[in-house]
Amino acid sequence: MEFLGTKGHWQYRKYGYQKIKILGTKTKKVCEINCNNNNKIDSINVANALLISKAPEMLEMLNKIMNSYDTGTQTYLDCQQLIKEATELN
């Protein structure tokens, strides 16, 4: 299953005290987090941004793991369902 989102390595960057952007290759904006917790970036915002920024790499790794499992195992079926939910647009 192919990832339909912005391709390449993502990273997060803080902008001032209230905004975090998730950027793809060539600094293409993937998403933006506006921080309203006391008008500043806090550790929860950074943790969320970090997790979002790792999504393409985690999906790629999940696909690799899935390829090493017997297709009849529950783990394989769970991984297959998770990948489907992450890659199919409703």
Side-chain angles (χ1 to χ4, degrees), residues 13-80:
R13 290 191 189 159
K14 297 177 187 179
Y15 288 84
Y17 294 102
Q18 295 180 319
K19 191 177 292 184
I20 301 174
K21 291 183 182 180
I22 310 300
L23 304 171
T25 55
K26 299 182 181 178
T27 64
K28 180 179 180 180
K29 183 171 75 170
V30 174
C31 71
E32 187 173 292
I33 300 171
N34 291 309
C35 308
N36 295 322
N37 300 339
N38 299 321
N39 296 319
K40 64 181 181 178
I41 295 171
D42 61 17
S43 60
I44 292 171
N45 300 126
V46 173
N48 290 338
L50 179 59
L51 181 60
I52 293 166
S53 72
K54 295 300 178 185
E57 292 170 73
M58 289 190 287
L59 181 60
E60 182 180 336
M61 184 61 64
L62 189 55
N63 273 314
K64 287 179 182 178
I65 291 168
M66 207 175 96
N67 290 334
S68 69
Y69 271 93
D70 177 10
T71 58
T73 67
Q74 188 60 47
T75 301
Y76 177 87
L77 298 173
D78 291 344
C79 289
Q80 187 178 39

Short mmCIF file of all heavy atoms in Angstrom, two decimals, residues 13-80:
data_model
loop_
_atom_site.label_atom_id
_atom_site.label_comp_id
_atom_site.label_asym_id
_atom_site.label_seq_id
_atom_site.Cartn_x
_atom_site.Cartn_y
_atom_site.Cartn_z
N ARG A 13 9.82 21.97 13.00
CA ARG A 13 10.57 23.19 13.36
C ARG A 13 9.67 24.10 14.17
O ARG A 13 8.50 24.26 13.86
CB ARG A 13 11.03 23.94 12.12
CG ARG A 13 12.11 23.23 11.35
CD ARG A 13 12.71 24.14 10.31
NE ARG A 13 13.59 23.38 9.45
CZ ARG A 13 13.96 23.76 8.25
NH1 ARG A 13 13.50 24.88 7.74
NH2 ARG A 13 14.78 23.01 7.53
N LYS A 14 10.26 24.70 15.17
CA LYS A 14 9.53 25.68 15.97
C LYS A 14 9.64 27.04 15.30
O LYS A 14 10.70 27.41 14.81
CB LYS A 14 10.13 25.75 17.37
CG LYS A 14 10.02 24.47 18.16
CD LYS A 14 10.70 24.62 19.51
CE LYS A 14 10.75 23.31 20.25
NZ LYS A 14 11.43 23.44 21.54
N TYR A 15 8.55 27.77 15.32
CA TYR A 15 8.51 29.13 14.78
C TYR A 15 8.00 30.04 15.88
O TYR A 15 6.82 30.01 16.23
CB TYR A 15 7.61 29.22 13.55
CG TYR A 15 8.22 28.56 12.35
CD1 TYR A 15 8.09 27.19 12.14
CD2 TYR A 15 8.97 29.30 11.43
CE1 TYR A 15 8.68 26.58 11.05
CE2 TYR A 15 9.56 28.68 10.33
CZ TYR A 15 9.41 27.32 10.15
OH TYR A 15 9.99 26.71 9.08
N GLY A 16 8.89 30.82 16.44
CA GLY A 16 8.52 31.69 17.54
C GLY A 16 8.12 30.88 18.76
O GLY A 16 8.66 29.81 19.02
N TYR A 17 7.14 31.40 19.50
CA TYR A 17 6.71 30.75 20.74
C TYR A 17 5.37 30.04 20.61
O TYR A 17 4.91 29.42 21.55
CB TYR A 17 6.59 31.80 21.86
CG TYR A 17 7.92 32.39 22.23
CD1 TYR A 17 8.28 33.65 21.77
CD2 TYR A 17 8.81 31.69 23.01
CE1 TYR A 17 9.51 34.19 22.10
CE2 TYR A 17 10.04 32.22 23.35
CZ TYR A 17 10.38 33.48 22.89
OH TYR A 17 11.59 34.01 23.21
N GLN A 18 4.72 30.14 19.43
CA GLN A 18 3.36 29.63 19.33
C GLN A 18 3.11 28.68 18.17
O GLN A 18 2.00 28.19 18.02
CB GLN A 18 2.38 30.79 19.20
CG GLN A 18 2.34 31.69 20.41
CD GLN A 18 1.37 32.81 20.22
OE1 GLN A 18 1.28 33.40 19.14
NE2 GLN A 18 0.62 33.12 21.26
N LYS A 19 4.09 28.39 17.36
CA LYS A 19 3.82 27.61 16.16
C LYS A 19 4.91 26.58 15.91
O LYS A 19 6.09 26.86 16.07
CB LYS A 19 3.73 28.55 14.97
CG LYS A 19 3.20 27.93 13.71
CD LYS A 19 3.08 28.97 12.60
CE LYS A 19 2.00 29.94 12.97
NZ LYS A 19 1.74 30.93 11.93
N ILE A 20 4.48 25.38 15.51
CA ILE A 20 5.38 24.33 15.07
C ILE A 20 4.90 23.90 13.69
O ILE A 20 3.71 23.69 13.48
CB ILE A 20 5.36 23.10 16.01
CG1 ILE A 20 5.77 23.51 17.43
CG2 ILE A 20 6.30 22.02 15.49
CD1 ILE A 20 5.63 22.39 18.44
N LYS A 21 5.82 23.77 12.76
CA LYS A 21 5.48 23.30 11.42
C LYS A 21 6.16 21.96 11.17
O LYS A 21 7.30 21.75 11.57
CB LYS A 21 5.92 24.29 10.35
CG LYS A 21 5.14 25.58 10.36
CD LYS A 21 5.57 26.50 9.23
CE LYS A 21 4.81 27.80 9.29
NZ LYS A 21 5.22 28.72 8.22
N ILE A 22 5.43 21.06 10.51
CA ILE A 22 5.99 19.81 10.05
C ILE A 22 6.31 20.04 8.58
O ILE A 22 5.44 20.41 7.79
CB ILE A 22 5.00 18.63 10.18
CG1 ILE A 22 4.39 18.58 11.59
CG2 ILE A 22 5.67 17.33 9.79
CD1 ILE A 22 5.36 18.40 12.71
N LEU A 23 7.57 19.85 8.21
CA LEU A 23 8.03 20.14 6.85
C LEU A 23 8.51 18.88 6.17
O LEU A 23 9.16 18.04 6.77
CB LEU A 23 9.17 21.16 6.89
CG LEU A 23 8.86 22.48 7.61
CD1 LEU A 23 10.12 23.30 7.77
CD2 LEU A 23 7.80 23.26 6.85
N GLY A 24 8.18 18.77 4.88
CA GLY A 24 8.68 17.69 4.05
C GLY A 24 9.94 18.14 3.34
O GLY A 24 10.55 19.16 3.69
N THR A 25 10.32 17.42 2.31
CA THR A 25 11.50 17.79 1.55
C THR A 25 11.31 19.15 0.91
O THR A 25 10.19 19.56 0.59
CB THR A 25 11.80 16.74 0.46
OG1 THR A 25 10.64 16.58 -0.35
CG2 THR A 25 12.18 15.42 1.07
N LYS A 26 12.40 19.86 0.74
CA LYS A 26 12.40 21.21 0.18
C LYS A 26 11.50 22.14 0.98
O LYS A 26 10.85 23.02 0.45
CB LYS A 26 12.00 21.19 -1.30
CG LYS A 26 12.95 20.38 -2.15
CD LYS A 26 12.56 20.43 -3.60
CE LYS A 26 13.51 19.57 -4.41
NZ LYS A 26 13.19 19.53 -5.82
N THR A 27 11.43 21.91 2.28
CA THR A 27 10.66 22.69 3.24
C THR A 27 9.19 22.88 2.85
O THR A 27 8.57 23.86 3.19
CB THR A 27 11.32 24.06 3.53
OG1 THR A 27 11.33 24.84 2.34
CG2 THR A 27 12.72 23.90 4.07
N LYS A 28 8.63 21.89 2.17
CA LYS A 28 7.20 21.92 1.85
C LYS A 28 6.42 21.66 3.14
O LYS A 28 6.63 20.65 3.80
CB LYS A 28 6.87 20.86 0.80
CG LYS A 28 5.42 20.83 0.43
CD LYS A 28 5.15 19.78 -0.63
CE LYS A 28 3.67 19.78 -0.98
NZ LYS A 28 3.35 18.80 -1.99
N LYS A 29 5.51 22.56 3.49
CA LYS A 29 4.75 22.42 4.73
C LYS A 29 3.78 21.25 4.63
O LYS A 29 2.98 21.17 3.72
CB LYS A 29 3.99 23.70 5.06
CG LYS A 29 3.24 23.62 6.38
CD LYS A 29 2.66 24.95 6.81
CE LYS A 29 1.44 25.27 5.99
NZ LYS A 29 0.68 26.42 6.51
N VAL A 30 3.87 20.33 5.58
CA VAL A 30 2.97 19.19 5.67
C VAL A 30 1.78 19.57 6.56
O VAL A 30 0.63 19.35 6.23
CB VAL A 30 3.69 17.95 6.24
CG1 VAL A 30 2.72 16.81 6.48
CG2 VAL A 30 4.82 17.52 5.30
N CYS A 31 2.07 20.16 7.72
CA CYS A 31 1.03 20.64 8.61
C CYS A 31 1.63 21.64 9.59
O CYS A 31 2.84 21.83 9.65
CB CYS A 31 0.33 19.50 9.34
SG CYS A 31 1.30 18.67 10.59
N GLU A 32 0.74 22.24 10.36
CA GLU A 32 1.16 23.27 11.30
C GLU A 32 0.40 23.07 12.60
O GLU A 32 -0.79 22.75 12.59
CB GLU A 32 0.81 24.63 10.69
CG GLU A 32 1.30 25.81 11.43
CD GLU A 32 1.03 27.08 10.62
OE1 GLU A 32 1.65 27.26 9.56
OE2 GLU A 32 0.18 27.86 11.06
N ILE A 33 1.09 23.23 13.71
CA ILE A 33 0.48 23.15 15.03
C ILE A 33 0.53 24.52 15.65
O ILE A 33 1.61 25.08 15.84
CB ILE A 33 1.22 22.13 15.93
CG1 ILE A 33 1.19 20.73 15.31
CG2 ILE A 33 0.62 22.12 17.33
CD1 ILE A 33 2.07 19.73 16.02
N ASN A 34 -0.63 25.09 15.92
CA ASN A 34 -0.70 26.36 16.62
C ASN A 34 -0.88 26.08 18.09
O ASN A 34 -1.83 25.42 18.51
CB ASN A 34 -1.85 27.22 16.09
CG ASN A 34 -1.58 27.69 14.68
OD1 ASN A 34 -0.52 28.23 14.40
ND2 ASN A 34 -2.52 27.46 13.78
N CYS A 35 0.05 26.56 18.89
CA CYS A 35 0.09 26.23 20.31
C CYS A 35 -0.66 27.29 21.10
O CYS A 35 -0.26 28.45 21.12
CB CYS A 35 1.53 26.14 20.77
SG CYS A 35 2.52 25.03 19.74
N ASN A 36 -1.72 26.89 21.76
CA ASN A 36 -2.53 27.83 22.53
C ASN A 36 -2.41 27.61 24.03
O ASN A 36 -3.12 28.23 24.79
CB ASN A 36 -3.99 27.72 22.10
CG ASN A 36 -4.18 28.16 20.67
OD1 ASN A 36 -3.56 29.11 20.23
ND2 ASN A 36 -5.04 27.47 19.95
N ASN A 37 -1.54 26.72 24.44
CA ASN A 37 -1.35 26.46 25.87
C ASN A 37 -0.53 27.59 26.47
O ASN A 37 0.68 27.62 26.34
CB ASN A 37 -0.66 25.12 26.10
CG ASN A 37 -1.46 23.97 25.54
OD1 ASN A 37 -2.65 24.11 25.34
ND2 ASN A 37 -0.81 22.86 25.29
N ASN A 38 -1.21 28.51 27.10
CA ASN A 38 -0.55 29.68 27.67
C ASN A 38 0.23 30.45 26.61
O ASN A 38 1.25 31.07 26.90
CB ASN A 38 0.37 29.30 28.83
CG ASN A 38 -0.39 28.64 29.95
OD1 ASN A 38 -1.50 29.03 30.27
ND2 ASN A 38 0.21 27.62 30.54
N ASN A 39 -0.23 30.36 25.36
CA ASN A 39 0.38 31.08 24.24
C ASN A 39 1.84 30.72 24.02
O ASN A 39 2.63 31.57 23.62
CB ASN A 39 0.22 32.59 24.41
CG ASN A 39 -1.22 32.99 24.37
OD1 ASN A 39 -1.98 32.47 23.56
ND2 ASN A 39 -1.62 33.90 25.24
N LYS A 40 2.21 29.47 24.29
CA LYS A 40 3.59 29.07 24.04
C LYS A 40 3.66 27.59 23.71
O LYS A 40 2.77 26.81 24.03
CB LYS A 40 4.49 29.38 25.23
CG LYS A 40 4.13 28.61 26.49
CD LYS A 40 5.04 28.97 27.63
CE LYS A 40 4.67 28.16 28.86
NZ LYS A 40 5.53 28.43 29.99
N ILE A 41 4.75 27.20 23.09
CA ILE A 41 5.02 25.80 22.78
C ILE A 41 5.37 25.09 24.08
O ILE A 41 6.17 25.59 24.87
CB ILE A 41 6.19 25.69 21.78
CG1 ILE A 41 5.80 26.33 20.44
CG2 ILE A 41 6.61 24.25 21.60
CD1 ILE A 41 6.96 26.45 19.47
N ASP A 42 4.76 23.93 24.31
CA ASP A 42 5.12 23.14 25.49
C ASP A 42 5.54 21.74 25.06
O ASP A 42 5.55 21.42 23.87
CB ASP A 42 3.98 23.11 26.51
CG ASP A 42 2.71 22.47 25.98
OD1 ASP A 42 2.76 21.76 24.94
OD2 ASP A 42 1.66 22.66 26.60
N SER A 43 5.90 20.91 26.02
CA SER A 43 6.42 19.58 25.69
C SER A 43 5.38 18.71 25.01
O SER A 43 5.73 17.85 24.19
CB SER A 43 6.95 18.90 26.95
OG SER A 43 5.92 18.75 27.91
N ILE A 44 4.10 18.91 25.28
CA ILE A 44 3.05 18.12 24.61
C ILE A 44 3.01 18.47 23.12
O ILE A 44 2.93 17.57 22.27
CB ILE A 44 1.68 18.36 25.26
CG1 ILE A 44 1.68 17.77 26.67
CG2 ILE A 44 0.56 17.76 24.43
CD1 ILE A 44 0.46 18.12 27.49
N ASN A 45 3.10 19.76 22.80
CA ASN A 45 3.11 20.17 21.40
C ASN A 45 4.33 19.60 20.66
O ASN A 45 4.21 19.14 19.53
CB ASN A 45 3.11 21.70 21.28
CG ASN A 45 1.91 22.34 21.90
OD1 ASN A 45 2.05 23.22 22.74
ND2 ASN A 45 0.72 21.93 21.51
N VAL A 46 5.48 19.63 21.31
CA VAL A 46 6.70 19.11 20.70
C VAL A 46 6.59 17.60 20.51
O VAL A 46 6.95 17.07 19.45
CB VAL A 46 7.94 19.47 21.53
CG1 VAL A 46 9.19 18.78 21.01
CG2 VAL A 46 8.15 20.98 21.54
N ALA A 47 6.05 16.90 21.49
CA ALA A 47 5.89 15.44 21.38
C ALA A 47 4.95 15.09 20.24
O ALA A 47 5.21 14.17 19.46
CB ALA A 47 5.37 14.87 22.70
N ASN A 48 3.84 15.83 20.10
CA ASN A 48 2.91 15.59 19.00
C ASN A 48 3.58 15.85 17.65
O ASN A 48 3.43 15.08 16.71
CB ASN A 48 1.67 16.46 19.14
CG ASN A 48 0.78 16.04 20.29
OD1 ASN A 48 0.83 14.91 20.74
ND2 ASN A 48 -0.03 16.96 20.76
N ALA A 49 4.33 16.93 17.56
CA ALA A 49 5.02 17.27 16.31
C ALA A 49 6.06 16.21 15.95
O ALA A 49 6.20 15.83 14.78
CB ALA A 49 5.69 18.64 16.43
N LEU A 50 6.78 15.73 16.94
CA LEU A 50 7.79 14.70 16.70
C LEU A 50 7.13 13.42 16.17
O LEU A 50 7.60 12.83 15.19
CB LEU A 50 8.57 14.41 17.97
CG LEU A 50 9.65 13.34 17.88
CD1 LEU A 50 10.70 13.70 16.84
CD2 LEU A 50 10.30 13.15 19.24
N LEU A 51 6.03 13.01 16.78
CA LEU A 51 5.33 11.81 16.33
C LEU A 51 4.82 11.98 14.90
O LEU A 51 5.00 11.09 14.06
CB LEU A 51 4.17 11.49 17.27
CG LEU A 51 3.36 10.24 16.93
CD1 LEU A 51 4.24 8.99 16.96
CD2 LEU A 51 2.20 10.10 17.89
N ILE A 52 4.23 13.11 14.61
CA ILE A 52 3.74 13.38 13.25
C ILE A 52 4.90 13.33 12.25
O ILE A 52 4.80 12.74 11.18
CB ILE A 52 3.02 14.73 13.17
CG1 ILE A 52 1.73 14.70 13.98
CG2 ILE A 52 2.73 15.12 11.71
CD1 ILE A 52 1.12 16.07 14.23
N SER A 53 6.02 13.94 12.62
CA SER A 53 7.16 14.01 11.70
C SER A 53 7.75 12.64 11.38
O SER A 53 8.39 12.46 10.36
CB SER A 53 8.25 14.94 12.26
OG SER A 53 8.93 14.35 13.35
N LYS A 54 7.53 11.66 12.25
CA LYS A 54 8.07 10.31 12.04
C LYS A 54 7.08 9.38 11.33
O LYS A 54 7.41 8.22 11.06
CB LYS A 54 8.48 9.70 13.38
CG LYS A 54 9.64 10.42 14.04
CD LYS A 54 10.86 10.40 13.14
CE LYS A 54 12.02 11.15 13.73
NZ LYS A 54 13.16 11.20 12.80
N ALA A 55 5.88 9.86 11.01
CA ALA A 55 4.85 9.01 10.42
C ALA A 55 5.29 8.30 9.14
O ALA A 55 5.09 7.09 9.01
CB ALA A 55 3.58 9.82 10.17
N PRO A 56 5.90 8.98 8.15
CA PRO A 56 6.31 8.26 6.95
C PRO A 56 7.33 7.16 7.22
O PRO A 56 7.25 6.07 6.65
CB PRO A 56 6.93 9.35 6.05
CG PRO A 56 6.34 10.62 6.54
CD PRO A 56 6.15 10.42 8.01
N GLU A 57 8.27 7.42 8.12
CA GLU A 57 9.28 6.42 8.45
C GLU A 57 8.66 5.23 9.19
O GLU A 57 9.02 4.08 8.95
CB GLU A 57 10.38 7.04 9.31
CG GLU A 57 11.21 8.06 8.57
CD GLU A 57 12.12 8.82 9.51
OE1 GLU A 57 13.11 8.22 9.97
OE2 GLU A 57 11.83 10.01 9.79
N MET A 58 7.69 5.51 10.06
CA MET A 58 7.03 4.42 10.78
C MET A 58 6.20 3.57 9.83
O MET A 58 6.17 2.35 9.96
CB MET A 58 6.18 4.98 11.91
CG MET A 58 7.02 5.52 13.06
SD MET A 58 6.08 5.92 14.54
CE MET A 58 5.23 7.40 14.05
N LEU A 59 5.53 4.20 8.89
CA LEU A 59 4.76 3.45 7.90
C LEU A 59 5.67 2.56 7.06
O LEU A 59 5.37 1.39 6.81
CB LEU A 59 3.95 4.39 7.01
CG LEU A 59 3.09 3.74 5.96
CD1 LEU A 59 2.05 2.81 6.58
CD2 LEU A 59 2.40 4.80 5.10
N GLU A 60 6.80 3.10 6.65
CA GLU A 60 7.76 2.32 5.87
C GLU A 60 8.27 1.12 6.68
O GLU A 60 8.35 -0.01 6.18
CB GLU A 60 8.94 3.20 5.46
CG GLU A 60 9.96 2.50 4.60
CD GLU A 60 11.12 3.42 4.21
OE1 GLU A 60 10.95 4.66 4.21
OE2 GLU A 60 12.19 2.88 3.92
N MET A 61 8.58 1.35 7.95
CA MET A 61 9.06 0.27 8.81
C MET A 61 7.97 -0.76 9.04
O MET A 61 8.23 -1.97 9.02
CB MET A 61 9.54 0.83 10.16
CG MET A 61 10.13 -0.21 11.07
SD MET A 61 11.59 -1.05 10.41
CE MET A 61 12.74 0.31 10.32
N LEU A 62 6.74 -0.32 9.22
CA LEU A 62 5.63 -1.24 9.40
C LEU A 62 5.46 -2.13 8.17
O LEU A 62 5.23 -3.34 8.29
CB LEU A 62 4.34 -0.46 9.68
CG LEU A 62 3.11 -1.24 10.10
CD1 LEU A 62 3.39 -2.09 11.33
CD2 LEU A 62 1.96 -0.28 10.37
N ASN A 63 5.61 -1.55 6.99
CA ASN A 63 5.55 -2.35 5.76
C ASN A 63 6.67 -3.40 5.74
O ASN A 63 6.45 -4.55 5.35
CB ASN A 63 5.64 -1.46 4.53
CG ASN A 63 4.30 -0.95 4.08
OD1 ASN A 63 3.34 -1.70 4.01
ND2 ASN A 63 4.22 0.33 3.80
N LYS A 64 7.88 -3.02 6.15
CA LYS A 64 9.00 -3.96 6.18
C LYS A 64 8.74 -5.10 7.17
O LYS A 64 8.99 -6.27 6.87
CB LYS A 64 10.30 -3.25 6.55
CG LYS A 64 10.86 -2.39 5.45
CD LYS A 64 12.12 -1.69 5.91
CE LYS A 64 12.66 -0.77 4.83
NZ LYS A 64 13.86 -0.05 5.27
N ILE A 65 8.25 -4.74 8.34
CA ILE A 65 7.94 -5.76 9.35
C ILE A 65 6.87 -6.70 8.83
O ILE A 65 6.96 -7.92 8.97
CB ILE A 65 7.49 -5.09 10.67
CG1 ILE A 65 8.67 -4.37 11.32
CG2 ILE A 65 6.88 -6.12 11.62
CD1 ILE A 65 8.28 -3.46 12.46
N MET A 66 5.86 -6.14 8.20
CA MET A 66 4.76 -6.93 7.68
C MET A 66 5.25 -7.95 6.65
O MET A 66 4.77 -9.08 6.60
CB MET A 66 3.71 -6.02 7.05
CG MET A 66 2.34 -6.60 7.08
SD MET A 66 1.17 -5.41 6.47
CE MET A 66 1.07 -5.94 4.79
N ASN A 67 6.22 -7.56 5.85
CA ASN A 67 6.76 -8.45 4.82
C ASN A 67 7.52 -9.64 5.42
O ASN A 67 7.74 -10.63 4.73
CB ASN A 67 7.65 -7.69 3.85
CG ASN A 67 6.85 -6.76 2.97
OD1 ASN A 67 5.68 -6.99 2.71
ND2 ASN A 67 7.48 -5.69 2.52
N SER A 68 7.91 -9.54 6.69
CA SER A 68 8.66 -10.63 7.32
C SER A 68 7.74 -11.60 8.07
O SER A 68 8.21 -12.63 8.55
CB SER A 68 9.71 -10.07 8.26
OG SER A 68 9.11 -9.48 9.39
N TYR A 69 6.46 -11.29 8.19
CA TYR A 69 5.53 -12.15 8.92
C TYR A 69 4.80 -13.12 7.99
O TYR A 69 4.59 -12.83 6.82
CB TYR A 69 4.46 -11.30 9.64
CG TYR A 69 4.87 -10.88 11.02
CD1 TYR A 69 5.50 -9.67 11.22
CD2 TYR A 69 4.61 -11.70 12.12
CE1 TYR A 69 5.86 -9.27 12.50
CE2 TYR A 69 4.98 -11.31 13.39
CZ TYR A 69 5.60 -10.09 13.57
OH TYR A 69 5.96 -9.71 14.82
N ASP A 70 4.41 -14.22 8.57
CA ASP A 70 3.53 -15.17 7.89
C ASP A 70 2.18 -14.47 7.68
O ASP A 70 1.63 -13.90 8.61
CB ASP A 70 3.36 -16.42 8.75
CG ASP A 70 2.41 -17.43 8.15
OD1 ASP A 70 2.01 -17.27 6.98
OD2 ASP A 70 2.08 -18.39 8.86
N THR A 71 1.67 -14.50 6.48
CA THR A 71 0.46 -13.76 6.14
C THR A 71 -0.78 -14.24 6.89
O THR A 71 -1.81 -13.58 6.85
CB THR A 71 0.18 -13.81 4.62
OG1 THR A 71 0.07 -15.18 4.22
CG2 THR A 71 1.27 -13.12 3.86
N GLY A 72 -0.69 -15.35 7.59
CA GLY A 72 -1.85 -15.85 8.33
C GLY A 72 -1.88 -15.44 9.79
O GLY A 72 -2.86 -15.70 10.48
N THR A 73 -0.84 -14.80 10.28
CA THR A 73 -0.80 -14.46 11.70
C THR A 73 -1.66 -13.24 12.00
O THR A 73 -1.92 -12.40 11.15
CB THR A 73 0.64 -14.15 12.17
OG1 THR A 73 1.08 -12.95 11.53
CG2 THR A 73 1.59 -15.29 11.88
N GLN A 74 -2.09 -13.15 13.24
CA GLN A 74 -2.90 -11.99 13.65
C GLN A 74 -2.08 -10.71 13.57
O GLN A 74 -2.61 -9.66 13.21
CB GLN A 74 -3.43 -12.20 15.08
CG GLN A 74 -4.43 -11.15 15.49
CD GLN A 74 -5.67 -11.12 14.58
OE1 GLN A 74 -6.24 -12.14 14.27
NE2 GLN A 74 -6.06 -9.93 14.16
N THR A 75 -0.79 -10.78 13.87
CA THR A 75 0.05 -9.60 13.78
C THR A 75 0.07 -9.07 12.35
O THR A 75 -0.04 -7.86 12.13
CB THR A 75 1.49 -9.92 14.23
OG1 THR A 75 1.45 -10.38 15.58
CG2 THR A 75 2.39 -8.70 14.13
N TYR A 76 0.20 -9.94 11.40
CA TYR A 76 0.17 -9.54 9.99
C TYR A 76 -1.15 -8.88 9.66
O TYR A 76 -1.19 -7.81 9.04
CB TYR A 76 0.39 -10.75 9.09
CG TYR A 76 0.30 -10.42 7.62
CD1 TYR A 76 1.42 -9.98 6.93
CD2 TYR A 76 -0.91 -10.52 6.94
CE1 TYR A 76 1.34 -9.65 5.58
CE2 TYR A 76 -0.99 -10.19 5.59
CZ TYR A 76 0.13 -9.77 4.92
OH TYR A 76 0.05 -9.44 3.59
N LEU A 77 -2.24 -9.48 10.07
CA LEU A 77 -3.56 -8.93 9.77
C LEU A 77 -3.77 -7.58 10.45
O LEU A 77 -4.34 -6.66 9.86
CB LEU A 77 -4.65 -9.92 10.18
CG LEU A 77 -4.62 -11.27 9.45
CD1 LEU A 77 -5.64 -12.22 10.06
CD2 LEU A 77 -4.84 -11.09 7.96
N ASP A 78 -3.28 -7.44 11.69
CA ASP A 78 -3.38 -6.16 12.40
C ASP A 78 -2.57 -5.08 11.69
O ASP A 78 -3.01 -3.94 11.54
CB ASP A 78 -2.91 -6.31 13.84
CG ASP A 78 -3.85 -7.14 14.69
OD1 ASP A 78 -5.01 -7.36 14.28
OD2 ASP A 78 -3.41 -7.59 15.78
N CYS A 79 -1.36 -5.43 11.28
CA CYS A 79 -0.50 -4.48 10.55
C CYS A 79 -1.14 -4.08 9.23
O CYS A 79 -1.15 -2.91 8.86
CB CYS A 79 0.87 -5.07 10.28
SG CYS A 79 1.92 -5.24 11.73
N GLN A 80 -1.68 -5.06 8.53
CA GLN A 80 -2.33 -4.79 7.25
C GLN A 80 -3.50 -3.82 7.44
O GLN A 80 -3.66 -2.87 6.66
CB GLN A 80 -2.81 -6.10 6.64
CG GLN A 80 -3.35 -5.96 5.24
CD GLN A 80 -3.76 -7.32 4.67
OE1 GLN A 80 -4.33 -8.14 5.38
NE2 GLN A 80 -3.45 -7.53 3.42
#
